[in-house]
Amino acid sequence: MAANSQLSQRQQALDLLRFPLAIVILTIHVWSLSSFDLKGSHIDPTAFPLSREINFFIDAFFRGQSVPIYFFISGFVFFFGVDWNRQAYFRKLKNRVKTLLIPYLIWNTVAIGMLTVKYLPFFERFRDNYADFSFGFKALLACFWNYRHDFFPALLEQTDLSASAGIYPIDGPLWFLRDLMIVVAVSPLLYRVLKQRGGELEVAALGVAWFVSGYWNLQHINQLLSAFFFFSWGAVLSIRQKDMLTEFGRYFTFSMWAYPVLALLHVGALHFCPEAAFTIKRLNILAGLLFAYNAAAWLLEHHVCKPSAFLASSSFFIYATHELIRTRLRNIFCILIRPRSDAGMLVTYSLIFLSTLGILLTAFYLLRQYAPRLLKVIAGRQ
């Protein structure tokens, strides 16, 4: 009976985290300091002090936090309650084709379609003037692995690719699904390593590699180390039949103060000691994983809130689709508002965020009501 109660609490904690983690990702993508050109105007959010300061706090508290938790949860769930053998592996692989590969192909294909449709004659007055648009097979394949504006060769030549912190498909956030599929493909090897005595040491070694790799621009290696470390961390707890409520609960007090303190130190470092900001951020990501799960468990235990089935189930849909409309909504609101002050930028960012979230929740609701089978396919639901 106690085991069933623990299982229920753990599942509720995970369900409670799903929607907030998606909102965190939406927030950091909306609230960006990247400058851009729009209809002859150059918009630079860094020119507005308050907007820049808010971005520093968002960077410190939210940026880089969600995806590691997603990898951790994926590793824990993948091996949970499984008598591991060849049949179990192929059964898991079959399920992941439905939950990972098919949505990955669908949403990147949708992103390609949304890009190329601008080149229909009807949309000529709405598009940027890239006269050298090139729709080749190589460029098409690159959209599913490492999209580098391959449809616009001249634009690619002007881009400093060495500055990229990783490689991303055309629907950028889906790099998580791509690298998760890589980890899943080699999961039998991971299981053998983690099952043996000392498997925790291999996870620790991956953690050290992940921590220090960020000091260099290793592009995809940085992303893969993040995937393997956090997935393996969750996996080893599951394989060892450890309960997250118990394991993470030991660090409840530590996580409650370490996460916000490190976040505030990160803000200070961005202002006064930029060279220390990365190290602080790495530490904060680790503390943030403990903080997120402990906070969810505490909220449930004290009956402050409970997971919403609708919001939890919408989280993947929001994650997979928000980048497809965020930039377009940004352009619309920047044209309408033409922000030239902090107040204008705050209003613009708020409208982008609320509109993106509102549109996606509405679309998810309508799909669930009127096209549940389609939703099951595109949202990777078994």
Side-chain angles (χ1 to χ4, degrees), residues 56-57 60-61 258-268 280 284:
F56 284 169
F57 274 86
F61 280 90
Y259 171 65
V261 167
L262 286 167
L264 293 174
L265 286 175
H266 186 264
V267 174
I280 296 172
N284 197 39

Side-chain angles (χ1 to χ4, degrees), residues 12-32:
Q12 286 187 67
L14 295 178
D15 286 343
L16 187 61
L17 282 174
R18 288 167 64 187
F19 183 70
L21 291 175
I23 293 302
V24 164
I25 291 174
L26 175 60
T27 300
I28 63 175
H29 288 165
V30 167
W31 209 283
S32 170

Side-chain angles (χ1 to χ4, degrees), residues 96-116:
R96 291 328 182 258
V97 167
K98 297 177 183 177
T99 60
L100 300 177
L101 179 59
I102 291 176
Y104 183 82
L105 295 175
I106 288 174
W107 290 116
N108 280 304
T109 301
V110 170
I112 294 170
M114 293 178 70
L115 177 67
T116 55

Side-chain angles (χ1 to χ4, degrees), residues 115 130 139 146-156 159 161:
L115 177 67
Y130 296 126
N146 183 22
Y147 175 64
R148 305 180 303 166
H149 302 290
D150 305 74
F151 291 129
F152 311 114
L155 183 61
L156 178 60
T159 304
L161 294 178

